[in-house]
Amino acid sequence: MKRKKMKRSRAKIKIKIFLGIVVLSLLLAQPSWHLLRIRSAQDRFDVSQMESEMTWVKQKDPWLATIPLVRDSALWLSLNQGQNLTDQELLADDDDKYRFWLFQLKLQKAQLTEASQILSTITSSSTQILGQGLIDMAQGKYDTASQKINSISERNLSKEEVVLKRLTLSRCLLGQGDETEAEKEWEKAKNVAPAHPLVVEEEFDLALVKADWKKAESLLPQIEKWRGSDSNLDFQAKKALLYLTLGQTAQWEQVLATLSQSSEGKSYQTYLLGVQKYQEGEWQTAQTMLKESLSGQLSSALRRDANQALKQVNERLGAETALQKF
């Protein structure tokens, strides 16, 4: 009898263990599936899928946020959506990748001195050269930036750093007025990571330069969805120029109102109003506004465009003055 009871007891224990394993497997099945999707989104730099998965984690399984993969993905998403990140969040781990992300964040905010200081703490010489190239580009030193970046072997770069290398070369070429070669570099970046948000944004910039307004308009909703409430001034200016060209007055005025809310933004607002007056043929007013914008805080790319527009306005005014003499 005792033996029978012991067998029954062991059988019950085995059943309980089996049921426990089944329940545990069911509980972990959904989180595991989402972790796989996060890994996939991370590998492809897919912002839309990443955002969807981070929302699921926040609502359904917040404990997953403690897993390195999820934390890493959340930080990357915040960086690419222009969300506020603290230095502490990106320096919590002694890792070159996070330091380079912090460097990019400072660069986005035009904090070049701080960006340089952070760059000097990165151990990878290739990443340091890439970062210095990005700083040179931000300062409008396109030749110097291109030379530095072209000296880097892609074997020494991560997949995302390869994308940044190609996009930086593309932007430098745009700054030098070489649209054809700029597009070739962009295509190389796209071949590496077609879903990367910076690849899509560069496609938007190329469309604006080529006056392909339909293409630019089709890409804008996708970029705005990623950026959310991002107040990146250069991006706001590009949107405004597209709206001005398309005659979308309400959207144009909305961007101008947004820019007027900060001292830096007011310089961008003045630049855009100068461009508007230029298009309307009000050369004197355009000249005044463009000069005023150049005395403010424009990025190197916008400063280049403002100088070019001012040069054209001055030529128009000079031609009118010459005609009045006859």
Side-chain angles (χ1 to χ4, degrees):
M1 291 292 292
K2 288 183 179 180
R3 289 182 179 178
K4 287 183 178 180
K5 287 182 179 180
M6 287 179 66
K7 286 182 179 180
R8 288 175 185 172
S9 178
R10 288 174 183 171
K12 287 180 180 179
I13 291 172
K14 288 180 180 179
I15 291 171
K16 287 180 180 179
I17 292 173
F18 173 75
L19 291 174
I21 292 171
V22 171
V23 171
L24 184 62
S25 298
L26 290 172
L27 288 172
L28 293 177
Q30 195 171 31
S32 297
W33 183 73
H34 281 281
L35 287 174
L36 288 173
R37 284 178 57 82
I38 291 171
R39 169 62 72 186
S40 172
Q42 188 183 70
D43 289 343
R44 292 181 292 105
F45 307 104
D46 189 330
V47 172
S48 297
Q49 184 175 323
M50 188 82 75
E51 185 175 32
S52 175
E53 292 305 318
M54 290 302 109
T55 300
W56 184 90
V57 168
K58 186 176 181 180
Q59 294 176 349
K60 303 295 183 180
D61 271 318
W63 67 270
L64 289 175
T66 61
I67 296 175
L69 168 67
V70 179
R71 177 177 173 274
D72 186 85
S73 299
L75 287 173
W76 181 86
L77 183 64
S78 296
L79 179 69
N80 283 277
Q81 289 187 321
Q83 297 176 15
N84 290 326
L85 285 172
T86 65
D87 292 10
Q88 289 73 23
E89 285 179 287
L90 289 168
L91 293 177
D93 297 305
D94 186 21
D95 191 305
D96 268 3
K97 177 174 67 176
Y98 293 121
R99 282 192 287 267
F100 192 58
W101 285 0
L102 181 58
F103 161 78
Q104 291 178 70
L105 186 63
K106 298 299 181 183
L107 207 56
Q108 287 174 11
K109 296 178 179 179
Q111 297 172 352
L112 301 188
T113 301
E114 290 185 40
S116 295
Q117 290 171 348
I118 293 161
L119 188 62
S120 66
T121 67
I122 293 175
T123 58
S124 167
S125 59
S126 296
T127 304
Q128 280 196 357
I129 295 170
L130 175 61
Q132 189 56 58
L134 285 166
I135 292 174
D136 289 335
M137 182 189 69
Q139 295 175 324
K141 302 174 183 177
Y142 301 120
D143 285 334
T144 305
S146 296
Q147 288 172 7
K148 287 179 181 176
I149 290 175
N150 272 320
S151 71
I152 309 170
S153 170
E154 293 186 2
R155 292 194 300 271
N156 300 324
L157 298 176
S158 68
K159 184 178 178 180
E160 187 166 34
E161 287 172 346
V162 171
V163 172
L164 285 174
K165 172 185 174 178
R166 291 301 169 187
L167 291 179
T168 304
L169 289 172
S170 177
R171 290 169 186 171
C172 286
L173 288 162
L174 272 183
Q176 295 167 323
D178 194 338
E179 297 172 23
T180 302
E181 290 302 315
E183 189 162 11
K184 288 179 181 178
E185 289 296 338
W186 167 75
E187 286 173 351
K188 291 176 183 177
K190 184 180 179 182
N191 289 337
V192 176
H196 198 293
L198 295 181
V199 172
V200 179
E201 287 185 28
E202 184 70 3
E203 185 178 11
F204 175 73
D205 289 354
L206 286 165
L208 290 178
V209 170
K210 294 188 295 183
D212 189 347
W213 311 121
K214 287 186 178 180
K215 183 68 174 178
E217 187 178 18
S218 69
L219 291 168
L220 185 57
Q222 183 181 6
I223 299 171
E224 284 196 299
K225 182 182 177 183
W226 293 339
R227 285 186 170 274
S229 58
D230 182 13
S231 57
N232 179 279
L233 297 177
D234 274 33
F235 178 63
Q236 295 295 328
K238 292 170 190 175
K239 281 201 307 182
L241 290 172
L242 178 61
Y243 293 144
L244 178 63
T245 303
L246 296 175
Q248 298 179 3
T249 307
Q251 293 91 329
W252 156 261
E253 291 177 348
Q254 185 178 359
V255 176
L256 292 183
T258 299
L259 291 171
S260 68
Q261 294 172 9
S262 69
S263 57
E264 290 181 0
K266 287 178 181 177
S267 297
Y268 283 73
Q269 181 190 44
T270 304
Y271 158 75
L272 290 166
L273 290 170
V275 172
Q276 182 187 39
K277 294 303 178 184
Y278 171 84
Q279 290 189 1
E280 293 172 353
E282 297 184 28
W283 313 120
Q284 198 68 55
T285 305
Q287 183 188 57
T288 301
M289 288 185 163
L290 289 169
K291 282 183 177 179
E292 184 182 342
S293 72
L294 285 165
S295 66
Q297 296 176 307
L298 294 179
S299 68
S300 61
L302 262 291
R303 186 169 293 277
R304 182 193 69 243
D305 291 347
N307 274 312
Q308 190 173 25
L310 181 59
K311 180 182 178 182
Q312 292 172 350
V313 168
N314 289 337
E315 289 173 354
R316 292 274 189 170
L317 288 171
E320 285 187 358
T321 302
L323 287 171
Q324 288 172 3
K325 291 180 181 180
F326 290 98

